[in-house]
Amino acid sequence: MNHAGADVLVGTIGPKRLVAPALTARQLPRVDLVLLSHAHMDHLNSAHASPFFKNHRAVTAKSTADLLPMHELSRPSELAWGEKVRINTAHAKWKSKPFEVKHWGARWRHDSYRGYNGYILSREGKKIIFGGDTAWTNSFRVIARQRPV
């Protein structure tokens, strides 16, 4: 996992990591839900992300599920902005609603159709925001009105 980039037969090609990940997949507590904000190779690289997919539920941006290792993933939910999904995991019942962020989702020049999301996750009356990669956008003003977050 020394590079972030495209997976090819000989490994991953792309920029070399300057800093190692803070934790390995084995050092993390049990993962209940995987959120994927967009398809950029530094975020969605199957070699890096594979440990998180085994038998987990996932929510991903529109037109990105084809990049996921389906044999390891339990029913990914592919969502566009404003859509909603309810997800039951081993530890909780979640609601997820994607919102528009200021970013883009393409991996290559020809796949500019891919989506990109931030998410509002809610359960048991509480909400959290996962912004993914984003700059400031008016979406945050709209979300702030939906207090408490």
Side-chain angles (χ1 to χ4, degrees):
M1 291 194 225
N2 295 327
H3 291 81
D7 295 326
V8 294
L9 293 175
V10 294
T12 302
I13 58 169
K16 185 170 174 59
R17 279 185 176 275
L18 299 178
V19 177
L23 299 170
T24 66
R26 290 181 181 192
Q27 292 172 312
L28 293 171
R30 181 172 161 17
V31 174
D32 212 28
L33 178 63
V34 177
L35 294 176
L36 301 165
S37 59
H38 62 291
H40 289 172
M41 291 180 208
D42 61 331
H43 290 261
L44 182 53
N45 174 290
S46 60
H48 296 101
S50 188
F52 298 104
F53 292 139
K54 293 192 186 298
N55 303 314
H56 292 98
R57 294 298 312 270
V59 177
T60 188
K62 182 179 177 189
S63 301
T64 58
D66 64 308
L67 302 170
L68 304 176
M70 294 303 175
H71 61 283
E72 295 178 348
L73 200 56
S74 174
R75 300 179 319 274
S77 297
E78 190 177 65
L79 300 174
W81 304 326
E83 294 180 333
K84 297 177 187 175
V85 68
R86 291 178 188 266
I87 300 168
N88 295 330
T89 65
H91 295 98
K93 294 180 181 182
W94 296 91
K95 292 180 193 170
S96 178
K97 181 180 177 185
F99 64 91
E100 183 177 0
V101 294
K102 192 173 238 85
H103 205 51
W104 71 97
R107 288 171 75 87
W108 308 102
R109 286 184 182 179
H110 67 275
D111 69 352
S112 58
Y113 58 88
R114 295 197 187 272
Y116 48 98
N117 296 339
Y119 297 96
I120 300 173
L121 285 175
S122 58
R123 83 172 221 210
E124 300 173 5
K126 307 254 193 255
K127 294 180 191 176
I128 60 171
I129 295 173
F130 169 65
D133 276 4
T134 187
W136 174 255
T137 172
N138 283 329
S139 296
F140 291 116
R141 276 198 185 97
V142 174
I143 292 167
R145 288 186 217 124
Q146 302 170 20
R147 293 183 188 261
V149 178

